[in-house]
Amino acid sequence: MERVAAGDCDAFAEFYDATAASAYGLIRRILRDPATSEEVAQDVMIELLRTAAGYDAARSSITGWVLTLAHRRAIDRVRAEHPRQRPERDTPALRQGYPIDYDHATDQTTTHLDADTVRDCLTRLTRLQRATIELAYYDGYTYPEVAESLGESLPAVKDRMRAALHRLRDCLHDLKPA
């Protein structure tokens, strides 16, 4: 962390590789929306870079520090996006009972179809590619943890992850409704 705090780009790259997947996994479990989760995870990593000098190894592990910040940011986002659960943030229209122009059925159907599409695309990956994606993105494992879990080298896992993400991107693009 001293090297990261000193502005060492290689140190931050190592730090990022070791922590970003865990942070994203935790945030994803809380927010459920991949795009919002990616945005919050990026904010967390930027904040960690800015505050690296304040890291105190006596207070927590690096992983604990990262996950604590990730959890706090995810919860902050949930609170910010659900103002109706916080009366002090209600808008006058909500207090008056005016209808909100929002179609819950359409939103739920779209979310369900998106999830089905992703599941379909995941089945098109090799067994090892799917396992790598699931461990990293659904279980929040870091690349080194994925490598250890699968008994593979870190470079092999990174190559497999890159190939799997490219295949998923192509599949999702091909299946996207016109």
Side-chain angles (χ1 to χ4, degrees), residues 13-116:
E14 290 174 30
F15 170 75
Y16 183 92
D17 288 343
T19 61
S22 293
Y24 174 78
L26 175 63
I27 293 165
R28 178 78 166 84
R29 281 191 293 269
I30 294 168
L31 299 179
R32 296 194 177 104
D33 175 58
T36 305
S37 298
E38 288 172 9
E39 180 183 324
V40 171
Q42 180 179 353
D43 290 345
V44 166
M45 297 312 292
I46 291 169
E47 179 69 17
L48 291 167
L49 176 61
R50 289 185 325 122
T51 61
Y55 170 70
D56 182 3
R59 293 184 63 200
S60 87
S61 68
I62 290 175
T63 303
W65 181 54
V66 170
L67 294 179
T68 298
L69 183 59
H71 184 264
R72 287 179 183 162
R73 285 290 175 98
I75 296 300
D76 288 347
R77 180 58 67 97
V78 168
R79 289 177 180 153
E81 291 184 357
H82 296 288
R84 285 177 280 156
Q85 295 176 357
R86 300 179 70 200
E88 71 274 10
R89 295 188 64 192
D90 279 352
T91 63
L94 289 174
R95 284 194 299 273
Q96 295 297 323
Y98 296 123
I100 297 173
D101 187 20
Y102 181 74
D103 186 350
H104 290 284
T106 300
D107 184 53
Q108 289 175 346
T109 302
T110 302
T111 300
H112 182 71
L113 289 174
D114 289 346
D116 286 346

